[in-house]
Amino acid sequence: MIRKHSATLHGHRTSFSLEDEFWMELKTIAASRSMPLAALISEIDDNRPAESNLSSALRLHVLSWLKNGAAGA
């Protein structure tokens, strides 16, 4: 199921839609990197191409993380 989520990035509220599975993986990634989920989302947002939207960037980050063996875990 796709759910709408909100986050504050650099002092501005934004929202994005993600499937529950992607949301759970983002939480796992943040935990494995010992960082708050909001910090991970902010990092992904800062590094995404200008032409992509945040929801897509988050999904692609999760995909990349999983394809790379969860960063060697």
Side-chain angles (χ1 to χ4, degrees):
M1 170 177 276
I2 295 178
R3 296 186 197 274
K4 193 157 200 127
H5 302 274
S6 297
T8 301
L9 307 175
H10 305 296
H12 296 93
R13 292 293 284 172
T14 189
S15 62
F16 49 90
S17 299
L18 281 179
E19 294 80 1
D20 292 339
E21 293 81 2
F22 282 103
W23 184 246
M24 294 307 296
E25 287 300 326
L26 282 172
K27 288 181 174 182
T28 299
I29 293 168
S32 73
R33 292 183 57 194
S34 300
M35 66 190 307
L37 180 58
L40 175 63
I41 293 169
S42 185
E43 178 182 288
I44 294 167
D45 184 52
D46 289 346
N47 293 307
R48 71 182 165 101
E51 66 277 359
S52 76
N53 66 50
L54 181 56
S55 296
S56 294
L58 294 169
R59 287 184 189 97
L60 290 173
H61 185 83
V62 168
L63 178 61
S64 176
W65 178 266
L66 293 172
K67 285 178 74 173
N68 289 321

